[in-house]
Every structure is written in structure tokens, then in C-alpha cells.
mmCIF file of all heavy atoms in Angstrom:
data_model
loop_
_atom_site.group_PDB
_atom_site.id
_atom_site.type_symbol
_atom_site.label_atom_id
_atom_site.label_comp_id
_atom_site.label_asym_id
_atom_site.label_seq_id
_atom_site.Cartn_x
_atom_site.Cartn_y
_atom_site.Cartn_z
ATOM 1 N N GLU N 130 -30.205 -66.145 86.253
ATOM 2 C CA GLU N 130 -30.111 -64.711 85.977
ATOM 3 C C GLU N 130 -29.050 -64.037 86.842
ATOM 4 O O GLU N 130 -28.434 -63.061 86.421
ATOM 5 C CB GLU N 130 -31.465 -64.043 86.183
ATOM 6 C CG GLU N 130 -32.455 -64.371 85.074
ATOM 7 C CD GLU N 130 -33.691 -63.507 85.152
ATOM 8 O OE1 GLU N 130 -33.582 -62.292 84.892
ATOM 9 O OE2 GLU N 130 -34.759 -64.067 85.463
ATOM 10 N N GLN N 131 -28.821 -64.539 88.051
ATOM 11 C CA GLN N 131 -27.786 -63.979 88.920
ATOM 12 C C GLN N 131 -26.406 -64.129 88.278
ATOM 13 O O GLN N 131 -25.553 -63.251 88.403
ATOM 14 C CB GLN N 131 -27.787 -64.664 90.297
ATOM 15 C CG GLN N 131 -29.021 -64.417 91.109
ATOM 16 C CD GLN N 131 -30.185 -65.331 90.709
ATOM 17 O OE1 GLN N 131 -30.020 -66.269 89.938
ATOM 18 N NE2 GLN N 131 -31.356 -65.049 91.224
ATOM 19 N N GLU N 132 -26.201 -65.216 87.573
ATOM 20 C CA GLU N 132 -24.931 -65.422 86.863
ATOM 21 C C GLU N 132 -24.795 -64.412 85.728
ATOM 22 O O GLU N 132 -23.702 -63.907 85.464
ATOM 23 C CB GLU N 132 -24.860 -66.855 86.331
ATOM 24 C CG GLU N 132 -23.589 -67.179 85.596
ATOM 25 C CD GLU N 132 -22.350 -67.244 86.483
ATOM 26 O OE1 GLU N 132 -22.479 -67.185 87.720
ATOM 27 O OE2 GLU N 132 -21.250 -67.354 85.934
ATOM 28 N N LEU N 133 -25.894 -64.091 85.057
ATOM 29 C CA LEU N 133 -25.856 -63.076 84.000
ATOM 30 C C LEU N 133 -25.415 -61.739 84.571
ATOM 31 O O LEU N 133 -24.596 -61.040 83.968
ATOM 32 C CB LEU N 133 -27.239 -62.912 83.363
ATOM 33 C CG LEU N 133 -27.720 -64.004 82.433
ATOM 34 C CD1 LEU N 133 -29.135 -63.683 81.964
ATOM 35 C CD2 LEU N 133 -26.800 -64.196 81.262
ATOM 36 N N GLU N 134 -25.958 -61.374 85.720
ATOM 37 C CA GLU N 134 -25.585 -60.105 86.348
ATOM 38 C C GLU N 134 -24.103 -60.067 86.668
ATOM 39 O O GLU N 134 -23.439 -59.050 86.460
ATOM 40 C CB GLU N 134 -26.413 -59.890 87.612
ATOM 41 C CG GLU N 134 -27.882 -59.661 87.328
ATOM 42 C CD GLU N 134 -28.749 -59.674 88.566
ATOM 43 O OE1 GLU N 134 -28.206 -59.721 89.695
ATOM 44 O OE2 GLU N 134 -29.982 -59.637 88.405
ATOM 45 N N ARG N 135 -23.576 -61.170 87.154
ATOM 46 C CA ARG N 135 -22.150 -61.235 87.482
ATOM 47 C C ARG N 135 -21.306 -61.093 86.220
ATOM 48 O O ARG N 135 -20.328 -60.340 86.186
ATOM 49 C CB ARG N 135 -21.828 -62.557 88.180
ATOM 50 C CG ARG N 135 -20.399 -62.658 88.695
ATOM 51 C CD ARG N 135 -20.120 -64.007 89.328
ATOM 52 N NE ARG N 135 -20.085 -65.076 88.343
ATOM 53 C CZ ARG N 135 -19.051 -65.327 87.532
ATOM 54 N NH1 ARG N 135 -17.975 -64.572 87.579
ATOM 55 N NH2 ARG N 135 -19.087 -66.319 86.673
ATOM 56 N N LEU N 136 -21.685 -61.775 85.161
ATOM 57 C CA LEU N 136 -20.928 -61.720 83.914
ATOM 58 C C LEU N 136 -21.028 -60.343 83.256
ATOM 59 O O LEU N 136 -20.042 -59.831 82.719
ATOM 60 C CB LEU N 136 -21.413 -62.814 82.962
ATOM 61 C CG LEU N 136 -21.116 -64.237 83.411
ATOM 62 C CD1 LEU N 136 -21.917 -65.241 82.593
ATOM 63 C CD2 LEU N 136 -19.626 -64.528 83.317
ATOM 64 N N GLU N 137 -22.194 -59.740 83.301
ATOM 65 C CA GLU N 137 -22.349 -58.398 82.740
ATOM 66 C C GLU N 137 -21.505 -57.385 83.506
ATOM 67 O O GLU N 137 -20.899 -56.496 82.904
ATOM 68 C CB GLU N 137 -23.821 -57.987 82.767
ATOM 69 C CG GLU N 137 -24.667 -58.761 81.782
ATOM 70 C CD GLU N 137 -26.152 -58.563 81.990
ATOM 71 O OE1 GLU N 137 -26.564 -58.007 83.036
ATOM 72 O OE2 GLU N 137 -26.912 -58.987 81.117
ATOM 73 N N ALA N 138 -21.438 -57.524 84.816
ATOM 74 C CA ALA N 138 -20.645 -56.604 85.636
ATOM 75 C C ALA N 138 -19.159 -56.704 85.318
ATOM 76 O O ALA N 138 -18.419 -55.720 85.457
ATOM 77 C CB ALA N 138 -20.887 -56.881 87.118
ATOM 78 N N ARG N 139 -18.716 -57.851 84.874
ATOM 79 C CA ARG N 139 -17.295 -58.052 84.555
ATOM 80 C C ARG N 139 -16.937 -57.626 83.135
ATOM 81 O O ARG N 139 -15.762 -57.560 82.778
ATOM 82 C CB ARG N 139 -16.930 -59.527 84.728
ATOM 83 C CG ARG N 139 -16.957 -59.977 86.174
ATOM 84 C CD ARG N 139 -16.621 -61.429 86.328
ATOM 85 N NE ARG N 139 -15.422 -61.776 85.573
ATOM 86 C CZ ARG N 139 -15.092 -63.008 85.213
ATOM 87 N NH1 ARG N 139 -15.861 -64.018 85.538
ATOM 88 N NH2 ARG N 139 -13.987 -63.254 84.536
ATOM 89 N N HIS N 140 -17.937 -57.330 82.316
ATOM 90 C CA HIS N 140 -17.688 -56.976 80.908
ATOM 91 C C HIS N 140 -17.014 -55.613 80.812
ATOM 92 O O HIS N 140 -17.498 -54.619 81.340
ATOM 93 C CB HIS N 140 -18.997 -56.973 80.130
ATOM 94 C CG HIS N 140 -18.875 -56.451 78.731
ATOM 95 N ND1 HIS N 140 -18.068 -57.046 77.791
ATOM 96 C CD2 HIS N 140 -19.450 -55.394 78.131
ATOM 97 C CE1 HIS N 140 -18.157 -56.371 76.654
ATOM 98 N NE2 HIS N 140 -18.990 -55.366 76.837
ATOM 99 N N PHE N 141 -15.888 -55.569 80.120
ATOM 100 C CA PHE N 141 -15.190 -54.313 79.831
ATOM 101 C C PHE N 141 -15.512 -53.961 78.389
ATOM 102 O O PHE N 141 -15.075 -54.646 77.461
ATOM 103 C CB PHE N 141 -13.677 -54.463 80.032
ATOM 104 C CG PHE N 141 -12.930 -53.229 79.644
ATOM 105 C CD1 PHE N 141 -12.897 -52.134 80.485
ATOM 106 C CD2 PHE N 141 -12.286 -53.159 78.429
ATOM 107 C CE1 PHE N 141 -12.220 -50.984 80.116
ATOM 108 C CE2 PHE N 141 -11.599 -52.016 78.057
ATOM 109 C CZ PHE N 141 -11.568 -50.929 78.903
ATOM 110 N N CYS N 142 -16.286 -52.930 78.191
ATOM 111 C CA CYS N 142 -16.750 -52.552 76.859
ATOM 112 C C CYS N 142 -15.906 -51.404 76.312
ATOM 113 O O CYS N 142 -16.010 -50.267 76.789
ATOM 114 C CB CYS N 142 -18.217 -52.143 76.916
ATOM 115 S SG CYS N 142 -18.850 -51.648 75.304
ATOM 116 N N PRO N 143 -15.093 -51.653 75.297
ATOM 117 C CA PRO N 143 -14.264 -50.579 74.738
ATOM 118 C C PRO N 143 -15.105 -49.488 74.085
ATOM 119 O O PRO N 143 -14.740 -48.314 74.135
ATOM 120 C CB PRO N 143 -13.374 -51.291 73.722
ATOM 121 C CG PRO N 143 -14.060 -52.582 73.422
ATOM 122 C CD PRO N 143 -14.860 -52.927 74.634
ATOM 123 N N GLU N 144 -16.230 -49.836 73.506
ATOM 124 C CA GLU N 144 -17.093 -48.832 72.878
ATOM 125 C C GLU N 144 -17.646 -47.858 73.915
ATOM 126 O O GLU N 144 -17.715 -46.654 73.685
ATOM 127 C CB GLU N 144 -18.246 -49.509 72.132
ATOM 128 C CG GLU N 144 -17.801 -50.343 70.963
ATOM 129 C CD GLU N 144 -17.201 -49.516 69.848
ATOM 130 O OE1 GLU N 144 -17.628 -48.368 69.640
ATOM 131 O OE2 GLU N 144 -16.288 -50.030 69.170
ATOM 132 N N ARG N 145 -18.039 -48.364 75.062
ATOM 133 C CA ARG N 145 -18.585 -47.520 76.122
ATOM 134 C C ARG N 145 -17.507 -46.588 76.665
ATOM 135 O O ARG N 145 -17.757 -45.410 76.897
ATOM 136 C CB ARG N 145 -19.163 -48.374 77.251
ATOM 137 C CG ARG N 145 -19.907 -47.549 78.281
ATOM 138 C CD ARG N 145 -20.528 -48.400 79.376
ATOM 139 N NE ARG N 145 -21.379 -49.426 78.811
ATOM 140 C CZ ARG N 145 -21.465 -50.666 79.280
ATOM 141 N NH1 ARG N 145 -20.769 -51.032 80.333
ATOM 142 N NH2 ARG N 145 -22.260 -51.539 78.724
ATOM 143 N N VAL N 146 -16.297 -47.114 76.834
ATOM 144 C CA VAL N 146 -15.188 -46.296 77.335
ATOM 145 C C VAL N 146 -14.868 -45.175 76.349
ATOM 146 O O VAL N 146 -14.710 -44.015 76.743
ATOM 147 C CB VAL N 146 -13.946 -47.169 77.606
ATOM 148 C CG1 VAL N 146 -12.738 -46.311 77.924
ATOM 149 C CG2 VAL N 146 -14.216 -48.141 78.735
ATOM 150 N N LEU N 147 -14.799 -45.495 75.065
ATOM 151 C CA LEU N 147 -14.517 -44.469 74.057
ATOM 152 C C LEU N 147 -15.620 -43.421 74.014
ATOM 153 O O LEU N 147 -15.342 -42.222 73.894
ATOM 154 C CB LEU N 147 -14.357 -45.116 72.677
ATOM 155 C CG LEU N 147 -13.073 -45.893 72.458
ATOM 156 C CD1 LEU N 147 -13.108 -46.597 71.110
ATOM 157 C CD2 LEU N 147 -11.870 -44.973 72.540
ATOM 158 N N SER N 148 -16.849 -43.843 74.130
ATOM 159 C CA SER N 148 -17.964 -42.912 74.135
ATOM 160 C C SER N 148 -17.881 -41.968 75.325
ATOM 161 O O SER N 148 -18.093 -40.754 75.189
ATOM 162 C CB SER N 148 -19.280 -43.692 74.163
ATOM 163 O OG SER N 148 -20.362 -42.816 74.270
ATOM 164 N N GLN N 149 -17.557 -42.495 76.498
ATOM 165 C CA GLN N 149 -17.430 -41.663 77.689
ATOM 166 C C GLN N 149 -16.279 -40.673 77.552
ATOM 167 O O GLN N 149 -16.410 -39.507 77.937
ATOM 168 C CB GLN N 149 -17.257 -42.534 78.932
ATOM 169 C CG GLN N 149 -18.501 -43.301 79.297
ATOM 170 C CD GLN N 149 -18.267 -44.329 80.387
ATOM 171 O OE1 GLN N 149 -17.136 -44.678 80.707
ATOM 172 N NE2 GLN N 149 -19.353 -44.832 80.945
ATOM 173 N N LEU N 150 -15.158 -41.117 77.003
ATOM 174 C CA LEU N 150 -14.019 -40.215 76.801
ATOM 175 C C LEU N 150 -14.365 -39.102 75.823
ATOM 176 O O LEU N 150 -14.006 -37.933 76.027
ATOM 177 C CB LEU N 150 -12.803 -41.002 76.293
ATOM 178 C CG LEU N 150 -12.097 -41.878 77.305
ATOM 179 C CD1 LEU N 150 -11.036 -42.732 76.616
ATOM 180 C CD2 LEU N 150 -11.480 -41.044 78.407
ATOM 181 N N PHE N 151 -15.066 -39.444 74.757
ATOM 182 C CA PHE N 151 -15.461 -38.453 73.764
ATOM 183 C C PHE N 151 -16.389 -37.412 74.385
ATOM 184 O O PHE N 151 -16.226 -36.205 74.179
ATOM 185 C CB PHE N 151 -16.142 -39.141 72.580
ATOM 186 C CG PHE N 151 -16.572 -38.192 71.510
ATOM 187 C CD1 PHE N 151 -15.638 -37.584 70.681
ATOM 188 C CD2 PHE N 151 -17.913 -37.910 71.327
ATOM 189 C CE1 PHE N 151 -16.035 -36.702 69.692
ATOM 190 C CE2 PHE N 151 -18.323 -37.029 70.350
ATOM 191 C CZ PHE N 151 -17.386 -36.424 69.524
ATOM 192 N N LYS N 152 -17.367 -37.850 75.179
ATOM 193 C CA LYS N 152 -18.287 -36.927 75.827
ATOM 194 C C LYS N 152 -17.550 -36.007 76.794
ATOM 195 O O LYS N 152 -17.823 -34.810 76.864
ATOM 196 C CB LYS N 152 -19.375 -37.692 76.570
ATOM 197 C CG LYS N 152 -20.382 -38.335 75.653
ATOM 198 C CD LYS N 152 -21.379 -39.154 76.438
ATOM 199 C CE LYS N 152 -22.289 -39.942 75.514
ATOM 200 N NZ LYS N 152 -23.202 -40.822 76.273
ATOM 201 N N GLU N 153 -16.594 -36.576 77.520
ATOM 202 C CA GLU N 153 -15.801 -35.782 78.462
ATOM 203 C C GLU N 153 -14.982 -34.733 77.715
ATOM 204 O O GLU N 153 -14.908 -33.567 78.139
ATOM 205 C CB GLU N 153 -14.889 -36.703 79.274
ATOM 206 C CG GLU N 153 -14.108 -36.012 80.353
ATOM 207 C CD GLU N 153 -14.963 -35.560 81.520
ATOM 208 O OE1 GLU N 153 -16.059 -36.094 81.719
ATOM 209 O OE2 GLU N 153 -14.507 -34.640 82.232
ATOM 210 N N GLU N 154 -14.385 -35.105 76.611
ATOM 211 C CA GLU N 154 -13.591 -34.166 75.816
ATOM 212 C C GLU N 154 -14.471 -33.051 75.266
ATOM 213 O O GLU N 154 -14.089 -31.880 75.292
ATOM 214 C CB GLU N 154 -12.901 -34.898 74.667
ATOM 215 C CG GLU N 154 -12.014 -33.993 73.838
ATOM 216 C CD GLU N 154 -11.309 -34.745 72.732
ATOM 217 O OE1 GLU N 154 -10.926 -35.912 72.942
ATOM 218 O OE2 GLU N 154 -11.141 -34.157 71.648
ATOM 219 N N MET N 155 -15.638 -33.406 74.775
ATOM 220 C CA MET N 155 -16.555 -32.393 74.248
ATOM 221 C C MET N 155 -16.991 -31.427 75.345
ATOM 222 O O MET N 155 -17.098 -30.220 75.102
ATOM 223 C CB MET N 155 -17.784 -33.064 73.621
ATOM 224 C CG MET N 155 -17.463 -33.901 72.395
ATOM 225 S SD MET N 155 -16.770 -32.934 71.047
ATOM 226 C CE MET N 155 -18.231 -32.077 70.524
ATOM 227 N N ARG N 156 -17.211 -31.931 76.546
ATOM 228 C CA ARG N 156 -17.605 -31.071 77.656
ATOM 229 C C ARG N 156 -16.485 -30.104 78.015
ATOM 230 O O ARG N 156 -16.712 -28.915 78.254
ATOM 231 C CB ARG N 156 -18.008 -31.922 78.860
ATOM 232 C CG ARG N 156 -18.654 -31.088 79.947
ATOM 233 C CD ARG N 156 -19.261 -31.901 81.046
ATOM 234 N NE ARG N 156 -18.183 -32.509 81.830
ATOM 235 C CZ ARG N 156 -18.211 -33.749 82.295
ATOM 236 N NH1 ARG N 156 -19.239 -34.521 82.055
ATOM 237 N NH2 ARG N 156 -17.212 -34.221 82.997
ATOM 238 N N HIS N 157 -15.236 -30.598 78.015
ATOM 239 C CA HIS N 157 -14.090 -29.733 78.312
ATOM 240 C C HIS N 157 -13.914 -28.666 77.243
ATOM 241 O O HIS N 157 -13.621 -27.503 77.555
ATOM 242 C CB HIS N 157 -12.807 -30.554 78.440
ATOM 243 C CG HIS N 157 -12.710 -31.308 79.726
ATOM 244 N ND1 HIS N 157 -12.613 -30.703 80.949
ATOM 245 C CD2 HIS N 157 -12.691 -32.651 79.960
ATOM 246 C CE1 HIS N 157 -12.548 -31.613 81.897
ATOM 247 N NE2 HIS N 157 -12.603 -32.801 81.326
ATOM 248 N N GLU N 158 -14.095 -29.030 75.989
ATOM 249 C CA GLU N 158 -13.979 -28.049 74.896
ATOM 250 C C GLU N 158 -15.059 -26.975 74.995
ATOM 251 O O GLU N 158 -14.786 -25.797 74.800
ATOM 252 C CB GLU N 158 -14.036 -28.758 73.549
ATOM 253 C CG GLU N 158 -12.788 -29.538 73.208
ATOM 254 C CD GLU N 158 -12.886 -30.230 71.866
ATOM 255 O OE1 GLU N 158 -13.841 -29.953 71.090
ATOM 256 O OE2 GLU N 158 -12.014 -31.068 71.594
ATOM 257 N N ALA N 159 -16.264 -27.378 75.307
ATOM 258 C CA ALA N 159 -17.365 -26.417 75.442
ATOM 259 C C ALA N 159 -17.099 -25.476 76.618
ATOM 260 O O ALA N 159 -17.338 -24.263 76.517
ATOM 261 C CB ALA N 159 -18.681 -27.153 75.644
ATOM 262 N N GLN N 160 -16.565 -26.002 77.689
ATOM 263 C CA GLN N 160 -16.250 -25.183 78.850
ATOM 264 C C GLN N 160 -15.119 -24.201 78.535
ATOM 265 O O GLN N 160 -15.149 -23.035 78.931
ATOM 266 C CB GLN N 160 -15.867 -26.068 80.031
ATOM 267 C CG GLN N 160 -15.719 -25.340 81.335
ATOM 268 C CD GLN N 160 -15.436 -26.297 82.475
ATOM 269 O OE1 GLN N 160 -14.928 -27.392 82.278
ATOM 270 N NE2 GLN N 160 -15.771 -25.876 83.680
ATOM 271 N N ALA N 161 -14.109 -24.654 77.782
ATOM 272 C CA ALA N 161 -12.985 -23.787 77.412
ATOM 273 C C ALA N 161 -13.449 -22.658 76.502
ATOM 274 O O ALA N 161 -12.954 -21.525 76.597
ATOM 275 C CB ALA N 161 -11.896 -24.598 76.732
ATOM 276 N N GLN N 162 -14.402 -22.914 75.628
ATOM 277 C CA GLN N 162 -14.908 -21.877 74.732
ATOM 278 C C GLN N 162 -15.711 -20.815 75.473
ATOM 279 O O GLN N 162 -15.734 -19.660 75.078
ATOM 280 C CB GLN N 162 -15.774 -22.510 73.638
ATOM 281 C CG GLN N 162 -14.986 -23.286 72.625
ATOM 282 C CD GLN N 162 -15.872 -23.943 71.587
ATOM 283 O OE1 GLN N 162 -17.093 -23.878 71.658
ATOM 284 N NE2 GLN N 162 -15.247 -24.612 70.626
ATOM 285 N N ARG N 163 -16.346 -21.203 76.578
ATOM 286 C CA ARG N 163 -17.115 -20.238 77.373
ATOM 287 C C ARG N 163 -16.187 -19.322 78.165
ATOM 288 O O ARG N 163 -16.572 -18.212 78.519
ATOM 289 C CB ARG N 163 -18.055 -20.959 78.322
ATOM 290 C CG ARG N 163 -19.271 -21.529 77.622
ATOM 291 C CD ARG N 163 -20.166 -22.148 78.628
ATOM 292 N NE ARG N 163 -19.493 -23.369 79.045
ATOM 293 C CZ ARG N 163 -20.096 -24.431 79.542
ATOM 294 N NH1 ARG N 163 -21.374 -24.421 79.737
ATOM 295 N NH2 ARG N 163 -19.413 -25.505 79.865
ATOM 296 N N ASN N 164 -14.991 -19.792 78.477
ATOM 297 C CA ASN N 164 -14.069 -18.994 79.298
ATOM 298 C C ASN N 164 -13.263 -18.066 78.477
ATOM 299 O O ASN N 164 -12.913 -17.709 77.631
ATOM 300 C CB ASN N 164 -13.145 -19.881 80.114
ATOM 301 C CG ASN N 164 -13.938 -20.669 81.148
ATOM 302 O OD1 ASN N 164 -14.990 -20.221 81.575
ATOM 303 N ND2 ASN N 164 -13.435 -21.813 81.528
#
């Protein structure tokens, strides 16, 4: 199981990165609309 943890930590997930970028963009847009 320790090897699984090491391999999971090295995984670069493009879906997760895109999801995080989308959430960040939505947060910036919502903040801009409030100002």
C-alpha cells in the first residue's frame, strides 16, 4: 500500500487541473460582478 501512495502522489491528473482552473475562474468572475 505504501507503493500505491507513492504512485498516487506522482499522478498528474489533467481533469483535476482543469476543474480547479474552472472553479478559480468562476470565483474571479463572481468577485468582479460584486465590485
Side-chain angles (χ1 to χ4, degrees):
E130 287 191 69
Q131 294 81 9
E132 181 69 8
L133 286 177
E134 292 170 7
R135 186 182 70 78
L136 293 166
E137 290 169 348
R139 291 179 48 200
H140 172 61
F141 176 78
C142 179
E144 295 294 327
R145 188 178 305 141
V146 172
L147 287 174
S148 176
Q149 290 171 345
L150 287 172
F151 180 72
K152 287 176 187 176
E153 185 71 21
E154 182 178 324
M155 295 298 287
R156 190 171 71 221
H157 284 295
E158 287 180 11
Q160 189 176 24
Q162 288 178 356
R163 284 183 288 205
N164 294 333

